């Protein structure tokens, strides 16, 4: 039994405890409270809602692991979505071909990457605080989007765009497939690649990492670029989901992505945190929201409960550390 | 004078930038360089400056707060309802209710941060979602327009007719703002508590070993921000003549940008009231100037974002470091 526990712990790390406890609690409470909760419909709706918030959370995760923050994620996503929309509009609108859409998506990824590169360069070379840099980028992108769209929305896309947002392949929603591919990509990136290793190192101690001969600037620029690209993917998915682009889409997700990261056991100062617990935390958040919906509460109450959940997890973590200290003291 | 420039580099450079922008605007637009416009600027910036000086105290103490603007919305709503219960009230009771509600909400943050050792950004993002979610849930997003007369009546403290027939005026928000600025300035520069806040923000463990009560520091910093947020909420309701539950949503990040632009350091121990006020003013002057120059309002945010981005890039680095091949060898790293 202990061997099994150790193996599970080795595979998922100590960050897994919080999210899995929360997951169990949510399933248990709503399973009892509402008979419809443990049904395919609930999990189906979660599967469709998860990717929007999830992709943005992945974009937030990398900068947080380096000890930074990317507050520009939602607006980067929307600007990338706008790029796709314009490419489609300029090339026939509803009649545009798949080729045009692919070109638009590539351009969107470029736009996302560009926003990330600029932030990364400023953060890496001037050592300005990432909160401030990404904040000004956020204000800039929001302004740019409002300027270009006059605050309105753009819609009217070819018919084949829709299924990307709400179609399914073999019963699995397309956005969910995209999201899971991205989760796995991030998992491999952080666990198996040099950049992932450097990301954790930078988050733990930037100076020490630099002295050990790692090009920290390059790593930081890459991290923010990848974050921007992930935003662009989120933007494309959001465009397909809503079948329109508006600069304010998903604005309320911004701070919730940070909340999801912290709920997934990511250290706010960087250096520690893994993708899989964050994924579980996201599932918990969406299940909570669906569960509350089932018992007749609205999205705003869900937001409040998400906040309460984070506070609770933090308090439980504090209690656990107190208990651990008292056990160690008694043992010695 | 020279030592002032050295110790107040951010404030001096901000002031220089503001002066430069003002000169350019005075030459290019007809209306910028007038007392009327200056007073308009003050009236518009009042609420943001009250928020900003409150946030400054928290930043100096090494924390960060995301929830204050939403807390102000909660205070607005709560105060409007409480005033209905007590049958009207007046400015004194309004400020008392709003202030104490604000302090209460600030102290919830401080309690979570101090008692359970939650990092301030985690705690305040949680309370942001809790306050906003509950506010929207209970109010169902319904605004209140039926406010007491004393709250919605414009209070003009000083008015003067200019030679060209236009009126200039200073309204109540400006007076409240000035009082808040002076109070904050006194707190952080003229009291022992203020020095302790700086010490605590710079090095919490050192401050603890020195005998500073760190719990008290958290409660004072977040309580003060709560007080300012409460007052700003009431003043915003007075200024807008309505209470809209999500009107202040998103304001926190704009104020944070302005305060950090004014030289406060994320991480604590640094920052001044003057810099903070100049930071807010720089942004409102830019916005005002763009307005007068006839630039589309849709472009404001974009230009302001770009200015902040450039400003922090320049203020955080010397030019040689940006372009390593320009400066002397060894200057860049």
């Amino acid at each position: 039994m202990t061997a099994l526990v150790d193996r599970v712990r080795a595979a998922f790390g100590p960050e897994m405890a919080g999210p899995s406890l929360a997951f169990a609690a949510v399933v248990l409470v709503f399973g009892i409270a509402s008979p419809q909760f443990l049904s395919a419909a609930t999990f189906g709706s979660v599967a469709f809602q998860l990717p929007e918030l999830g992709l943005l959370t992945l974009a937030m995760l990398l900068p947080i692991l380096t000890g930074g923050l990317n507050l520009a994620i939602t607006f980067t996503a929307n600007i990338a979505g706008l790029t796709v929309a314009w490419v489609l509009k300029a090339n026939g609108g509803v009649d545009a071909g798949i080729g045009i859409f692919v070109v638009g998506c590539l351009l969107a990824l470029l736009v996302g990457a560009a926003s990330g590169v600029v932030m990364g360069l400023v953060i890496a070379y001037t050592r300005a605080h990432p909160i401030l840099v990404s904040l000004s980028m956020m204000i800039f992108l929001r302004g740019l989007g409002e300027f270009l769209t006059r605050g309105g929305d753009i819609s009217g896309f070819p018919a084949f765009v829709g299924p990307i947002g709400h179609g399914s392949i073999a019963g699995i929603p397309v956005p969910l497939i995209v999201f899971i591919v991205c989760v796995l990509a991030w998992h491999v990136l952080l666990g198996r690649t040099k950049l992932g290793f450097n990301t954790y190192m930078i988050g733990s101690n930037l100076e020490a990492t630099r002295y050990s001969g790692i090009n920290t600037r390059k790593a930081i620029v890459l991290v923010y670029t990848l974050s921007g690209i992930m935003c662009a993917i989120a933007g494309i998915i959001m465009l397909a989901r809503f079948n329109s682009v508006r600069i304010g889409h998903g604005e309320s997700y911004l701070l919730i992505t940070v909340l999801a990261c912290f709920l997934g056991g990511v250290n706010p100062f960087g250096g520690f945190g893994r993708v899989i617990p964050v994924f579980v935390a996201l599932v918990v958040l969406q299940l909570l929201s669906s569960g509350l919906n089932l018992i007749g509460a609205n999205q705003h109450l869900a937001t409040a409960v998400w906040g309460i959940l984070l506070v609770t997890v933090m308090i439980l973590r504090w209690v656990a550390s107190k208990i651990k200290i008292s056990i160690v003291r008694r043992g010695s | 004078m020279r030592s002032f420039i050295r110790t107040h580099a951010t404030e001096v450079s901000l002031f220089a930038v503001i002066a430069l922008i003002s000169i350019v605007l005075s030459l290019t637009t007809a209306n910028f360089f007038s007392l009327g416009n200056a007073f308009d600027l003050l009236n518009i910036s009042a609420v943001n400056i009250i928020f900003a000086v409150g946030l400054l105290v928290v930043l100096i103490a090494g924390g960060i707060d995301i929830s204050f603007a939403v807390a102000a919305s909660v205070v607005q709503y709560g105060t409007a309802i409480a005033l209905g219960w007590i049958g009207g009230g007046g400015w004194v009771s309004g400020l008392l209710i709003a202030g104490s509600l604000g302090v209460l909400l600030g102290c919830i943050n401080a309690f979570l941060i101090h008692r359970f050792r939650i990092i301030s950004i985690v705690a305040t993002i949680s309370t942001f979602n809790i306050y906003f979610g509950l506010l929207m849930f209970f109010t169902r997003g319904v605004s209140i327009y039926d406010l007491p007369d004393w709250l919605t009546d414009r209070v003009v403290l000083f008015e003067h007719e200019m030679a060209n027939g236009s009126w200039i005026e200073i309204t109540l928000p400006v007076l409240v703002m000035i009082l808040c600025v002076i109070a904050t300035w006194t707190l952080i520069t003229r009291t022992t508590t203020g020095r302790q806040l700086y010490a605590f923000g710079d090095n919490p463990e050192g401050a603890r070993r020195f005998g500073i009560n760190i719990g008290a520091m958290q409660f004072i910093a977040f309580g003060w921000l709560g007080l300012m947020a409460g007052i700003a909420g009431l003043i915003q309701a007075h200024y807008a003549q309505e209470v809209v539950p999500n009107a202040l949503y998103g304001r926190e990040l704009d104020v944070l940008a302005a305060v950090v632009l004014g030289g406060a350091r994320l991480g604590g121990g640094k920052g001044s009231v003057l810099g903070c006020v100049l930071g807010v003013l720089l942004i409102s002057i830019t916005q005002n100037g763009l307005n007068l120059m006839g630039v589309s309002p849709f472009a404001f945010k974009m230009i302001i974002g770009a200015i902040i981005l450039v400003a922090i890039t320049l203020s955080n680095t010397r030019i040689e470091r940006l372009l390593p091949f320009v400066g002397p060898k060894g200057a860049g790293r």
Side-chain angles (χ1 to χ4, degrees), chain A residues 126 129 132 135-136 139-140 142-144 150 210 217 252 255 258-259 262 298 300 303 310-311 318, chain B residues 66 115-116 122 125-126 128-130 133 136-137 249 253-254 260 266 296 298 301-302 309 312 316 333:
Chain A
T126 73
H129 201 290
L132 188 60
L135 192 56
S136 39
I139 296 173
F140 172 74
R142 179 169 64 191
L144 181 69
R150 304 286 176 215
R210 195 165 64 77
R217 285 176 172 173
S252 59
L255 291 171
V258 186
L259 185 144
F262 294 154
N298 68 0
H300 292 299
T303 311
L310 181 59
V311 170
W318 174 80
Chain B
I66 306 290
R115 185 73 183 80
F116 299 113
V122 181
I125 284 181
S126 314
F128 170 91
N129 284 301
I130 298 172
M136 292 300 280
F137 178 66
Y249 180 92
L253 294 179
D254 295 343
V260 186
L266 292 159
S296 154
F298 287 109
K301 280 258 161 58
M302 173 177 76
L309 200 56
I312 52 168
N316 269 283
R333 271 188 298 151

Side-chain angles (χ1 to χ4, degrees), chain B residues 318-332:
Chain B
R318 293 193 306 276
I319 215 75
E320 310 93 75
R321 245 208 242 157
L322 277 185
L323 308 165
F325 44 87
V326 176
K329 275 216 165 84

